[in-house]
Amino acid sequence: MITRINLEDVGQDLLWLRVNEGGLVEEAGPFQNEIWKDAYIPLWLVEVGSPCPIHKYPNIIRGFLKYKVVSIRKEKEPKK
């Protein structure tokens, strides 16, 4: 299963993240996928209304995005 995390929209380029069961970002959008792909999100810490926790070595270690999570939902992985 994939978890889709939607972020509040305050004009930034990153509005959502698709995260696998291991917590790795598989896709981010609508822009900046190349920046956030393979970042780590500890899913057990993600809460609606709170900033999204994220780790992207070597630049972000135990950090948070500036934007709050507005929704979290499970999606089925597309067939390959």
Side-chain angles (χ1 to χ4, degrees):
M1 285 288 236
I2 294 289
T3 301
R4 182 179 170 118
I5 300 170
N6 292 307
L7 304 170
E8 67 181 332
D9 185 356
V10 291
Q12 78 277 17
D13 289 339
L14 179 64
L15 296 176
W16 52 265
L17 301 152
R18 293 184 74 236
V19 183
N20 68 21
E21 291 177 353
L24 292 180
V25 175
E26 291 192 352
E27 187 179 8
F31 305 103
Q32 298 188 354
N33 183 57
E34 66 281 350
I35 294 171
W36 299 108
K37 185 172 171 53
D38 297 325
Y40 174 72
I41 295 180
L43 291 172
W44 66 90
L45 294 177
V46 178
E47 294 180 1
V48 172
S50 297
C52 184
I54 194 163
H55 308 291
K56 179 70 172 166
Y57 185 82
N59 300 318
I60 302 171
I61 300 170
R62 293 189 214 154
F64 291 86
L65 295 173
K66 294 179 187 178
Y67 314 107
K68 293 180 181 176
V69 174
V70 294
S71 68
I72 304 165
R73 73 171 194 243
K74 299 283 186 188
E75 296 180 343
K76 291 184 180 179
E77 293 186 53
K79 293 182 181 179
K80 296 180 182 179

